[in-house]
């Protein structure tokens, strides 16, 4: 009970310090922000003492958002409502070019990158010197991250052909390795 | 690529992903936020069922024997669900039917949780057929990860403005602040939800690939490596000795609390008993203790102390649904889930706001967001009071509301109408529920949910009143511009 209270208190103190010094031009700004992170990180120890290591880690990751949102709400800037000119209504025209282009990107994101990410992740995890069940766990954790990152790369790279080629070639070699050489 | 152009492309990528996922993400997050309380809804949906925490194993065994006599149909599993903190009720079920067990060991009502199941299926499968739905929803988990990553790349000031919230003023600025502040501080929770959510459906795909690459296509070997191989037994056919298994279990794991007991492949020579038990302070769903049909201990699956990978994979369920640490964790998950729902709505709203014109998408999207509470309530009324399908009612009313909103072409008026409709349908639900269940509406199981529904109705009334004021102001502003 006491550890739980200390965990909340420590997290709150950390957030309040961070808020106070976040964008201020005080000479001690950097040190103060650093000092704010200490009680916030320290709340992990109290959470672990209060709820055990597994629950403690989860609580210490989730609770700061609540403290921060409360501080943000309390200290929000109020402004008078600005009325904007109403927008005109316009009937949407179907653009087949747009549909085709977006359909292509959809295929790239959902099908192509899913396949390449799966093979790349499997080659990586199955080359780790750990037991198969642990490889599966690492793979389950890593696969969405690899796929998600590949999606972002494909969407923001100026030359879309680059992520397509690199992911495609890596995925292809990974698949060949998995299906041919690993047997 | 310059920094400016990088940010521009990141914004474009983030918007594209947001638009691709927005509507479905909203449905998944909204239903998931409510589904955190699925145990409470289950109790509320059938408030007239006997509730108790202390049970006599002999009476449970007699209920199990009565059940197999009354329901002799072929089944792959027989389950005996024990009362636990979330739901203090005993259920005995096979693959086709589930019945509650009264405290005196007699068989009680049939389990009928259609509305809660509809809500959970909406979250886990988007109401699609199970395997397809699970994979589709898991893909949204991956895309949520991409959205989080692209969101951070697209907003270089997101950390600088970590504490800034400009209320009032320009609607767009207010929405940007809400979207970004909720996203940044909620990121650890959002990442965890995305990763665990992606795991549920993608695991089945990965199992197929691993099986075909490393195990000659035998998926059972892969599944067995994670969840443990089932014991191979050859025994005489007889009913399960539940008392013996439970006695042995309490000696083997005195600190663990049993969640449910399963008889695998009943009425075959290979049948065996498995007791799923929760370990205090652990995120693993359970440790599974196996017994032969006479109740002799065979061994455990090893989720509590086995390989790290096995423990980790078996912890994803509790982590994703917030089923650990009691009711306060559910409240925490509700708040954080609500934040993700708001993020998915404000993201689309920002895109709509930036456009120079408005069209059908604006109006339908408004209906999609604000009509969902009313559609869920009407589905509950249809199912619980009139016995009509919750799923059909939800999708029919939801589609009609979206059509109305698109046809009406008055955003502020439609918003106000949907908010008042939500309030009215919530109050109607509570009234009809009380009339239907009479004194049972005042049981602990019903009272908590009904009180929450009344509070939600009041919130919608207040929102509707605010929208009505803004609607009137909007009319005068429109006249001013005209």
């Amino acid at each position: 009970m006491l550890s739980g209270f200390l965990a909340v208190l420590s997290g709150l103190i950390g957030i309040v310090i961070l808020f106070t010094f976040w964008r201020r031009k005080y000479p001690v700004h950097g040190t103060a922000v650093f000092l704010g992170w200490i009680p916030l990180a320290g709340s992990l120890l109290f959470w672990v003492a209060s709820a055990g290591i597994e629950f403690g880690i989860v609580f210490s990751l989730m609770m700061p958002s609540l403290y921060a949102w409360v501080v943000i709400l309390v200290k929000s800037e109020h402004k008078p409502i600005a009325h904007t000119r109403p927008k005109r209504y316009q009937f949407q025209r179907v653009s087949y070019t747009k549909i085709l282009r977006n359909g292509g990107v959809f295929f790239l994101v959902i099908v192509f990158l899913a396949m390449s990410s799966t093979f790349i992740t499997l080659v990586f995890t199955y080359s780790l010197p750990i037991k198969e069940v642990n490889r599966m766990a690492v793979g389950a954790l890593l696969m969405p991250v690899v796929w998600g990152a590949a999606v972002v790369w494909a969407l923001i790279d100026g030359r879309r052909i680059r992520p397509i080629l690199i992911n495609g070639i890596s995925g292809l070699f990974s698949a060949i390795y998995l299906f041919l050489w690993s047997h | 690529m310059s920094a400016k152009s990088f940010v521009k492309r990141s914004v474009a990528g983030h918007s594209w992903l947001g638009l691709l996922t927005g509507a479905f993400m909203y449905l998944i997050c909204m239903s998931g936020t409510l589904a955190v309380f699925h145990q409470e809804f289950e109790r509320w949906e059938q408030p007239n069922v006997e509730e108790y925490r202390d049970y006599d194993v002999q009476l449970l065994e007699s209920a199990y024997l009565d059940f197999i006599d009354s329901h002799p149909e072929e089944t792959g599993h027989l389950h005996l669900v024990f009362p636990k903190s979330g739901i203090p009720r005993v259920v005995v079920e096979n693959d086709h039917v589930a019945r509650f067990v009264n405290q005196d060991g007699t068989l009680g009502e049939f389990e009928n949780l259609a509305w809660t199941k509809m809500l959970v299926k909406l979250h886990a499968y988007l109401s699609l057929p199970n395997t397809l739905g699970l994979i589709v929803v898991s893909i949204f988990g991956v895309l949520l990860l991409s959205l989080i990553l692209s969101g951070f790349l697209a907003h270089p000031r997101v950390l600088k403005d970590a504490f800034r919230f400009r209320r009032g003023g320009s609607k767009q600025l207010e929405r940007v602040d809400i979207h970004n502040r909720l996203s940044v501080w909620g990121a650890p929770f959002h990442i965890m939800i995305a990763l665990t959510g992606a795991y549920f459906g993608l695991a089945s795909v990965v199992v197929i690939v691993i099986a075909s690459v490393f195990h000659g296509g035998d998926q059972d070997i892969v599944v067995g490596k994670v969840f443990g191989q089932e014991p191979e037994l050859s025994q005489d056919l007889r009913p399960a000795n539940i008392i013996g298994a439970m006695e042995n279990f309490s000696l083997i794991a005195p600190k663990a609390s049993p969640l449910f007991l399963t008889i695998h492949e009943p009425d075959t020579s290979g049948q065996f008993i498995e007791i799923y038990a929760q370990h205090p302070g652990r995120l693993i769903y359970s440790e599974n203790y196996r017994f032969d049909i006479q109740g002799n201990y065979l061994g455990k699956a090893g989720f509590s102390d086995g390989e790290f990978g096995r423990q980790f994979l078996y912890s994803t369920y509790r982590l994703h649904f917030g089923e650990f640490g009691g009711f306060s964790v559910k409240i925490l998950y509700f708040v954080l889930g609500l934040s993700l729902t708001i993020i998915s709505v404000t993201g689309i709203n920002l895109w709509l706001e930036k456009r120079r014109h408005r069209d059908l998408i604006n109006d339908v999207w408004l209906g999609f967001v604000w009509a969902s509470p009313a559609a869920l309530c009407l589905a509950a009324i249809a199912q619980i009071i009139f016995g009509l399908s919750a799923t059909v009612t939800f999708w029919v009313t939801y589609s009609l509301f979206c059509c109305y909103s698109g046809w009406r072409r008055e955003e502020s008026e439609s918003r106000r109408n949907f908010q008042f409709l939500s309030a009215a349908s919530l109050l109607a639900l509570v009234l009809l529920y009380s009339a239907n269940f009479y004194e049972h509406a005042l049981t602990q199981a019903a009272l908590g949910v009904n009180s929450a529904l009344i509070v939600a109705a009041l919130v919608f009334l207040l929102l509707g009143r605010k929208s009505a004021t803004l609607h009137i102001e909007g009319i005068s502003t429109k006249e001013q511009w005209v």
Side-chain angles (χ1 to χ4, degrees), chain B residues 394-420:
Chain B
F394 172 76
W395 283 108
V396 168
T397 51
Y398 200 25
S399 311
L400 286 174
F401 290 150
C402 291
C403 289
Y404 161 79
S405 182
W407 166 76
R408 196 67 195 85
R409 282 199 218 163
E410 269 294 341
E411 283 182 65
S412 55
E413 189 192 306
S414 297
R415 184 184 297 112
R416 179 202 62 189
N417 290 348
F418 286 133
Q419 287 164 344
F420 281 139

Side-chain angles (χ1 to χ4, degrees), chain A residues 39-112:
Chain A
L40 201 57
S43 67
L44 168 69
L45 298 175
F46 292 119
W47 278 123
V48 169
S50 160
I53 185 141
E54 293 185 7
F55 294 4
I57 291 172
V58 179
F59 292 152
S60 66
L61 285 172
M62 287 182 200
M63 291 302 285
S65 49
L66 297 190
Y67 316 141
W69 290 334
V70 170
V71 171
I72 289 167
L73 200 64
V74 171
K75 293 290 179 183
S76 57
E77 304 162 25
H78 286 264
K79 290 182 176 181
I81 292 173
H83 289 289
T84 46
R85 194 188 179 103
K87 288 177 184 175
R88 67 191 159 79
Y89 196 90
Q90 189 177 299
F91 282 96
Q92 190 75 276
R93 277 190 195 157
V94 179
S95 160
Y96 293 104
T97 333
K98 265 188 184 175
I99 291 174
L100 269 179
R101 199 173 57 216
N102 286 320
V105 181
F106 178 82
F107 178 82
L108 169 73
V109 163
I110 303 295
V111 183
F112 180 79

Side-chain angles (χ1 to χ4, degrees), chain B residues 113-382:
Chain B
L113 311 165
W115 183 81
T116 310
K117 280 184 181 165
M118 182 276 290
L119 181 71
V120 173
K121 277 194 162 190
L122 179 62
H123 173 67
Y125 312 109
L126 273 173
S127 301
L128 293 167
N130 287 7
T131 310
L132 173 69
L134 198 62
I135 293 171
V136 169
V137 172
S138 294
I139 292 173
F140 281 102
V142 175
L143 297 178
L144 177 58
L145 276 176
S146 302
L147 276 166
I148 295 168
L149 181 60
S150 60
F152 275 99
L153 296 175
H155 302 97
R157 286 180 60 85
V158 88
L159 290 177
K160 267 186 190 169
D161 291 342
F163 288 100
R164 198 164 189 207
F165 180 26
R166 291 157 287 186
R167 288 167 84 181
S170 144
K171 240 193 166 90
Q172 194 176 336
L173 271 183
E174 188 182 86
R175 279 178 183 156
V176 166
D177 282 352
I178 292 173
H179 186 80
N180 292 350
R181 295 309 83 81
L182 290 177
S183 305
V184 169
W185 288 102
F189 174 77
H190 303 155
I191 291 170
M192 188 266 291
I193 286 292
L195 275 177
T196 49
Y199 160 75
F200 293 125
L202 296 182
S204 57
V205 179
V206 172
V207 163
I208 295 170
V209 179
I210 292 176
S212 55
V213 172
F214 299 106
H215 301 285
D218 192 341
Q219 291 177 35
D220 289 342
I221 297 177
V222 184
V223 175
K225 279 182 188 282
V226 179
F227 297 106
Q229 296 288 357
E230 291 196 348
E232 284 181 20
L233 302 169
S234 181
Q235 311 154 100
D236 295 335
L237 289 185
R238 62 170 71 192
N241 180 0
I242 291 175
I243 298 173
M246 287 299 286
E247 278 172 1
N248 283 334
F249 163 75
S250 54
L251 293 173
I252 297 156
K255 285 184 183 168
S257 48
L259 297 169
F260 57 94
L261 175 153
T262 298
I263 299 153
H264 294 268
E265 305 301 331
D267 287 333
T268 65
S269 60
Q271 62 181 339
F272 68 97
I273 302 168
E274 189 163 32
I275 297 175
Y276 295 69
Q278 190 173 2
H279 280 229
R282 299 295 310 272
L283 284 170
I284 49 165
Y285 180 74
S286 63
E287 176 58 279
N288 299 2
Y289 299 87
R290 286 157 182 175
F291 304 85
D292 68 14
I293 209 64
Q294 287 176 296
N296 299 309
Y297 181 55
L298 298 171
K300 62 179 180 180
F303 296 123
S304 59
D305 55 3
E307 287 296 326
F308 163 76
R310 185 171 286 176
Q311 294 189 41
F312 169 77
L313 292 175
Y314 216 49
S315 298
T316 47
Y317 177 86
R318 287 195 189 282
L319 257 180
H320 188 84
F321 289 98
E323 275 188 31
F324 63 94
F327 195 72
S328 50
V329 173
K330 289 187 179 185
I331 301 279
L332 180 65
Y333 267 63
F334 175 78
V335 173
L336 293 166
L338 196 62
S339 79
L340 198 49
T341 312
I342 295 171
I343 291 165
S344 49
V345 173
T346 48
I348 299 281
N349 285 349
L350 281 170
W351 176 78
L352 291 171
E353 199 90 34
K354 279 181 187 166
R355 300 192 314 167
R356 285 184 188 154
H357 64 278
R358 47 187 300 276
D359 56 22
L360 190 68
I361 300 171
N362 293 64
D363 299 311
V364 173
W365 172 243
L366 185 127
F368 198 82
V369 172
W370 286 107
S372 59
L376 279 174
C377 271
L378 293 174
I381 291 172

